[in-house]
Amino acid sequence: MHSEFELITRFFTPDPPGAEAGVTLGVGDDCTLLAPTAGQRLAVSVDTSVAGTHFPEEAPAVAVGHRALAVSLSDLAAMGARARWCLMSLTLPAADDGPWLGEFARGFHELCDATGTALVGGDVTRGELAIGVTVMGEVPPEQALTRSGARPGDLLAVTGSLGGGAGGLALWQQGERDTGHPLLTRYLHPLPRLEAGLALRGLASAAIDISDGLLADLGHILDCSGVGAELVPEALPLAEGLTAALGEERALAAGLHGGDDYELLVALPPERLDEARERLAAFGLPLTQVGRVAEAPGVRGVAAGAERGWQHFQGGGVP
Amino acid sequence: MHSEFELITRFFTPDPPGAEAGVTLGVGDDCTLLAPTAGQRLAVSVDTSVAGTHFPEEAPAVAVGHRALAVSLSDLAAMGARARWCLMSLTLPAADDGPWLGEFARGFHELCDATGTALVGGDVTRGELAIGVTVMGEVPPEQALTRSGARPGDLLAVTGSLGGGAGGLALWQQGERDTGHPLLTRYLHPLPRLEAGLALRGLASAAIDISDGLLADLGHILDCSGVGAELVPEALPLAEGLTAALGEERALAAGLHGGDDYELLVALPPERLDEARERLAAFGLPLTQVGRVAEAPGVRGVAAGAERGWQHFQGGGVP
């Protein structure tokens, strides 16, 4: 379609292909040609964000662009991969929504720049607003952080803070629109923990990014690794201002179940915790122990039924 | 979301990772890990098919699955790349549409198998029916078939036949539902010309796949190469039965403008035509000269206004 080409050239023309970016032929041909680094594994993932399902339809365009890329890059972070390239599939309802698209593109490109990710292709189609982002990164074989390596005795630790994304969404749904509010910033502009993923290579025995909530994503590590866990809910590093905003009970529920934080949850042998903390401290990111891997399946330490304390965003009104 | 995992495991669990497929870690972790071939370029492309925009909403599910992958693979074919991997983003309206999904998956997987493409990841979300497919292939540097290499004096040639996709769509829109009809088959089950793309390495100076119609896609080659062309409309290899179904005038319009054929249009020096034909004849695919590249910009040989003879599918009723 003609307008596809116009939209792409207007807002999504990447920098000219350059050897430094590993791009030998960019947007404008049938395919983009990339030069992967010899000897590395190519880590790939795709995530689609649908308006009204994954983010509120009235969310600021700059945040929609940022988040769509952030959630995909977060998968690379969880793998310990270095971000290299991305492709974007944009489905847009309006025929030509220039101002919205400009802000959307700004959010997307700023995160590309901040993370060293080159936008190397994509398409624009007409339909309900949705953004699919395919990301590609690189990681040396044997250094990838999988979900299956957790062993009994490992500590469980999380980067940064928890519950802020869910808390920000709750505030948004209550009508808060000050996008400078720390919790709203947390929800609208999550930061994929790519540096942390790289720093934890060789230290973490398993990793996942927290997109669906600590307990849900911990469950994936436990399932893949064939182990169980003991959590210490009091140890959770809840986001600043979360308890004040939501009250103690909902704040804890947000930390356990809320999702949208895009922090990393890792398992690692106890003797490696100090070094992991030092490496992350170098760029100002805390690493907090929240539990321990156990042999017996299941999760202990969390009150039964606690998951009913939090309702995930499904589009629509206030939970 | 819980059902995402169920849907993926039910219909889209790929074969176990194996070195032969270059997959070292498959679906079920944060990323898939791939082992690209050393020394090759990675060719990547993404295409999104939206119901009602890119295909009729009531199209058979098996065809929807086939076509969604075929249109992306066609980009690899046009690059002369060997298909290796794909990721699929499926946006589904219904909560659990088992029978539809089973047929959709069959169409998708059968084309994966037929083309040696491994499905290595994806996601399933809720929303208006849309399928985004990212494909990855490999091609040696210097052998990629770009759009920019056409030179004055080159011949223009197309694989297979033209107008069949558009003719099939026209019949579908007129109420024809016999999916065994050759023109409907052509529209619903287009075959990406991957073998032809590989065979034309080293022979073609430029290539593109015909998705938007011969003239539109020729225009991309001319723009990228900075050349013009003389077309011989009488030489177009119109699909069998097309003239009988649509009449002479509309059949020619379908061949020139119809799109959805996914044949390859190539430019190549005259002295290479015979060898190119021989290589394609080995798997039964004709290669027909339809014109010549010229120095002067623009396209000659086609009556002005001929493009008004065909209306592209935009969703909705009979054109």
Side-chain angles (χ1 to χ4, degrees):
Chain A
M1 129 177 66
H2 191 55
S3 56
E4 172 182 341
F5 189 72
E6 284 169 3
L7 289 171
I8 288 176
T9 48
R10 202 158 140 212
F11 291 113
F12 297 106
T13 300
D15 297 327
E20 71 284 354
V23 183
T24 66
L25 182 72
V27 172
D29 214 298
D30 297 298
C31 297
T32 307
L33 294 183
L34 306 174
T37 308
Q40 303 257 318
R41 290 289 179 257
L42 187 72
V44 298
S45 184
V46 62
D47 279 284
T48 304
S49 301
V50 180
T53 301
H54 299 96
F55 59 88
E57 302 196 2
E58 73 281 23
V62 64
V64 174
H66 174 101
R67 286 188 95 254
L69 177 58
V71 301
S72 284
L73 287 176
S74 184
D75 287 324
L76 293 181
M79 213 72 201
R82 183 179 302 281
R84 297 290 316 266
W85 306 293
C86 68
L87 300 106
M88 184 189 42
S89 292
L90 176 60
T91 305
L92 267 183
D96 185 8
D97 193 347
W100 189 93
L101 207 58
E103 281 294 286
F104 172 85
R106 183 167 68 86
F108 196 94
H109 282 299
E110 282 178 359
L111 187 59
C112 277
D113 293 346
T115 58
T117 309
L119 175 65
V120 297
D123 67 342
V124 180
T125 53
R126 295 288 161 225
E128 202 175 72
L129 178 61
I131 310 103
V133 180
T134 300
V135 288
M136 290 171 276
E138 294 183 324
V139 58
E142 318 303 330
Q143 291 201 25
L145 306 176
T146 70
R147 297 179 177 179
S148 57
R151 295 291 168 261
D154 279 354
L155 305 182
L156 291 168
V158 296
T159 61
S161 65
L162 296 178
L169 174 58
L171 291 183
W172 177 273
Q173 290 177 311
Q174 286 161 24
E176 176 64 57
R177 289 296 180 272
D178 173 11
T179 55
H181 188 296
L183 292 176
L184 253 64
T185 298
R186 194 59 213 261
Y187 174 68
L188 296 172
H189 293 269
L191 295 175
R193 298 303 189 189
L194 288 158
E195 281 181 305
L198 294 177
L200 291 165
R201 284 180 183 174
L203 294 180
S205 47
I208 194 170
D209 64 315
I210 304 178
S211 53
D212 297 330
L214 175 64
L215 270 183
D217 290 311
L218 172 61
H220 294 309
I221 284 191
L222 303 185
D223 288 349
C224 292
S225 301
V227 295
E230 285 146 23
L231 271 192
V232 184
E234 313 84 77
L236 260 56
L238 295 182
E240 206 181 320
L242 187 65
T243 304
L246 299 187
E248 207 165 309
E249 196 181 345
R250 289 191 75 212
L252 181 60
L256 285 169
H257 307 283
D260 286 321
D261 282 324
Y262 300 100
E263 298 289 357
L264 297 186
L265 165 66
V266 298
L268 78 176
E271 66 274 17
R272 296 186 187 160
L273 181 63
D274 285 348
E275 188 178 344
R277 279 185 166 147
E278 275 168 35
R279 291 191 191 175
L280 269 56
F283 41 88
L285 192 64
L287 183 69
T288 308
Q289 185 186 340
V290 297
R292 193 178 279 270
V293 178
E295 201 154 336
V299 177
R300 284 158 298 280
V302 180
E307 66 277 16
R308 289 194 296 271
W310 194 260
Q311 187 185 328
H312 282 271
F313 179 55
Q314 303 275 354
V318 179
Chain B
M1 128 178 65
H2 192 53
S3 55
E4 172 183 339
F5 189 71
E6 284 169 3
L7 289 172
I8 290 176
T9 49
R10 203 158 139 211
F11 291 112
F12 297 106
T13 301
D15 297 327
E20 71 284 356
V23 182
T24 66
L25 181 72
V27 172
D29 214 298
D30 298 298
C31 296
T32 306
L33 294 182
L34 305 174
T37 308
Q40 302 257 317
R41 291 287 178 258
L42 187 73
V44 298
S45 184
V46 63
D47 279 285
T48 305
S49 302
V50 180
T53 300
H54 299 95
F55 59 89
E57 302 196 3
E58 72 282 21
V62 64
V64 175
H66 174 100
R67 286 188 95 255
L69 177 59
V71 301
S72 285
L73 287 176
S74 184
D75 287 324
L76 294 181
M79 213 71 202
R82 183 179 301 281
R84 297 290 317 266
W85 308 290
C86 68
L87 301 106
M88 185 190 39
S89 291
L90 176 60
T91 305
L92 267 183
D96 185 8
D97 194 347
W100 189 94
L101 208 58
E103 281 295 286
F104 171 85
R106 182 166 69 83
F108 195 95
H109 282 299
E110 281 178 358
L111 188 58
C112 278
D113 293 346
T115 58
T117 310
L119 174 66
V120 298
D123 67 341
V124 180
T125 53
R126 295 288 161 227
E128 200 175 72
L129 178 61
I131 311 103
V133 179
T134 300
V135 288
M136 290 171 277
E138 294 183 324
V139 58
E142 317 304 330
Q143 291 201 25
L145 307 177
T146 70
R147 298 178 177 179
S148 57
R151 297 290 168 261
D154 280 354
L155 305 182
L156 291 168
V158 296
T159 61
S161 65
L162 297 179
L169 174 58
L171 292 183
W172 176 273
Q173 291 178 309
Q174 286 161 24
E176 175 65 58
R177 289 296 181 272
D178 172 11
T179 55
H181 189 295
L183 292 175
L184 252 65
T185 299
R186 195 58 212 263
Y187 174 69
L188 296 171
H189 292 269
L191 296 175
R193 299 303 189 189
L194 289 158
E195 280 179 306
L198 294 177
L200 291 165
R201 285 181 183 173
L203 295 180
S205 46
I208 194 169
D209 63 315
I210 304 178
S211 53
D212 297 330
L214 175 64
L215 271 182
D217 290 310
L218 171 62
H220 294 308
I221 284 191
L222 303 185
D223 288 348
C224 291
S225 301
V227 293
E230 284 146 24
L231 270 192
V232 184
E234 313 83 79
L236 259 56
L238 296 182
E240 206 181 320
L242 187 65
T243 303
L246 299 187
E248 207 166 307
E249 196 182 346
R250 288 191 75 210
L252 180 61
L256 285 169
H257 308 283
D260 285 322
D261 281 324
Y262 301 101
E263 297 290 357
L264 297 186
L265 165 66
V266 299
L268 78 176
E271 67 273 15
R272 294 187 188 160
L273 182 62
D274 285 349
E275 188 178 344
R277 279 186 167 147
E278 276 167 35
R279 291 192 191 175
L280 268 56
F283 41 88
L285 193 64
L287 182 69
T288 307
Q289 186 186 339
V290 296
R292 192 177 280 271
V293 178
E295 202 156 335
V299 178
R300 284 159 299 280
V302 180
E307 65 276 17
R308 289 196 295 272
W310 194 261
Q311 187 184 327
H312 282 272
F313 179 56
Q314 303 274 354
V318 179

